[in-house]
Amino acid sequence: MKISKDVVVSIEYTLRDDNGNVLDSSEGGEPLAYLHGNGNLIPGLEAQLEGKAANDTLKVVVAPADGYGELDAAQIVSVPKSQFAGVTDLAVGMQFTASGPEGQHVVTVTKIEDDTITVDGNHPLAGQTLTFDVKIIDVREATEEELSHGHVHGAGGHHH
Ligand code: ZN
């Protein structure tokens, strides 16, 4: 069967950045299972999988706008170190949940200078062109329960 809305798709994939560095891969683990057409994958990847079938392999290049978004300079802000009072061993790369006008989001510490801390609220993959090498392992009908939840249950999916 071909991939279309509301079918369950299992894929093996390797994700690389602009420089060919591997960012993520299913290698060595279970294939990733997702419910097609429900926003479970980034839009640029999901669109290219439409109409494909088991055993197909493809390379998908996803521009930032169809992936994790463009880098937004407004999301990079400097804050006084006093806002991190109580945090021991503050270091570059630490992540915190911040509350803003659009709700909670994760920020990453990117620079520490004396009493000023720079945090970046962009997704770590924002602004990057992503290349996925994908092999489609399986395509199956979704269960009623999976459709009502909007995600896959069991192997490679959610467990709850
Ligand atoms: Zn569920």
Side-chain angles (χ1 to χ4, degrees), residues 3-61:
I3 296 175
S4 60
K5 185 164 167 50
D6 293 341
V7 302
V8 173
V9 183
S10 298
I11 59 172
E12 288 177 349
Y13 70 95
T14 298
L15 167 60
R16 292 184 178 84
D17 67 11
D18 289 344
N19 300 316
N21 299 313
V22 174
L23 299 172
D24 191 17
S25 175
S26 63
E27 200 171 315
E30 283 182 71
L32 171 74
Y34 77 97
L35 186 63
H36 191 78
N38 286 261
N40 292 170
L41 298 185
I42 56 173
L45 177 58
E46 193 164 54
Q48 294 298 313
L49 291 167
E50 180 88 22
K52 300 290 189 296
N55 295 317
D56 285 354
T57 57
L58 64 160
K59 185 185 282 284
V60 180
V61 179

Side-chain angles (χ1 to χ4, degrees), residues 41-98:
L41 298 185
I42 56 173
L45 177 58
E46 193 164 54
Q48 294 298 313
L49 291 167
E50 180 88 22
K52 300 290 189 296
N55 295 317
D56 285 354
T57 57
L58 64 160
K59 185 185 282 284
V60 180
V61 179
V62 179
D66 295 321
Y68 293 95
E70 303 285 354
L71 206 58
D72 179 4
Q75 294 287 330
I76 302 171
V77 294
S78 296
V79 295
K81 197 174 194 174
S82 58
Q83 289 204 4
F84 294 90
V87 179
T88 50
D89 301 327
L90 188 67
V92 168
M94 288 177 85
Q95 293 190 314
F96 296 89
T97 302

Side-chain angles (χ1 to χ4, degrees), residues 145-146 149-153 158 160:
E145 190 182 48
E146 287 171 328
H149 286 204
H151 57 234
V152 172
H153 292 168
H158 287 241
H160 67 147

